Amino acid sequence: MRVALAIVLPLAAALLQGTVVPSMTVADARPNLVTLVAASWAVAAGPREAVWWAFLGGVATDLLSGGPLGALALAGLLPVALAGMGDQQLRPRSVLAGALVVALASAATSVLYYVILAIVGASLPDAARLLALTISGAAYNGVLAIATYPLCRALHRSTEKQASFGW
């Protein structure tokens, strides 16, 4: 079940990123669904599986968008890993704390993505516009994480129980 989740959810996020997200723009803010899903999983389940989610979803998004192949995958690895490195206490994080971590991971992913685009010579808007896009996108992902993180936490718990029973 966990393997299926690790394939289906990042690929679905990448597909939705290219098809649905353009119509989800609010005041020029767009979510990054791949980072949202991967960072939410990282907060819920830890970084081990989540970095694969970020990598697979990032490569799929790059393939679908025509952007530099591997740019989003590379940009998302470190922020998603760090999102899952928080305290591993027995009690799960609160929804608001999890959403804040997802928002921070989203902002870091955006910054790294823009740096990678600059390195490969892609045309970018001015720094003020990039900052506005980074902050608004991170805020958008943070708001969406209020729903996404609890879903990932529930999925993690249910798949963890199945794994412990040998399913």
Side-chain angles (χ1 to χ4, degrees), residues 61-82:
T61 300
D62 290 338
L63 285 171
L64 293 170
S65 72
L69 185 59
L72 184 58
L74 181 60
L77 290 179
L78 182 60
V80 167
L82 291 175

Side-chain angles (χ1 to χ4, degrees), residues 39-136:
S40 293
W41 188 258
V43 175
R48 186 179 221 170
E49 297 169 6
V51 294
W52 288 106
W53 289 37
F55 180 77
L56 179 62
V59 168
T61 300
D62 290 338
L63 285 171
L64 293 170
S65 72
L69 185 59
L72 184 58
L74 181 60
L77 290 179
L78 182 60
V80 167
L82 291 175
M85 298 292 270
D87 55 352
Q88 298 297 323
Q89 53 184 313
L90 297 176
R91 213 168 25 115
R93 280 194 179 121
S94 73
V95 172
L96 292 180
L100 178 62
V101 171
V102 170
L104 292 172
S106 297
T109 298
S110 292
V111 168
L112 291 173
Y113 184 67
Y114 294 140
V115 167
I116 292 167
L117 290 180
I119 290 170
V120 300
S123 176
L124 294 170
D126 61 38
R129 175 93 172 114
L130 289 176
L131 180 63
L133 290 171
T134 298
I135 292 170
S136 63

Side-chain angles (χ1 to χ4, degrees), residues 7-22 30-38 52-76 109 113 117:
I7 295 169
V8 171
L9 290 181
L11 292 180
L15 184 61
L16 291 171
Q17 186 70 34
T19 57
V20 175
V21 166
R30 289 183 178 198
N32 180 331
L33 298 183
V34 171
T35 303
L36 171 67
V37 169
W52 288 106
W53 289 37
F55 180 77
L56 179 62
V59 168
T61 300
D62 290 338
L63 285 171
L64 293 170
S65 72
L69 185 59
L72 184 58
L74 181 60
T109 298
Y113 184 67
L117 290 180

Side-chain angles (χ1 to χ4, degrees), residues 140-157:
Y140 204 147
N141 269 10
V143 169
L144 291 176
I146 292 171
T148 308
Y149 165 58
L151 289 173
C152 285
R153 195 168 59 189
L155 272 173
H156 173 65
R157 275 193 226 129

Side-chain angles (χ1 to χ4, degrees), residues 3 18 42 64 161:
V3 174
L64 293 170
K161 288 177 187 174

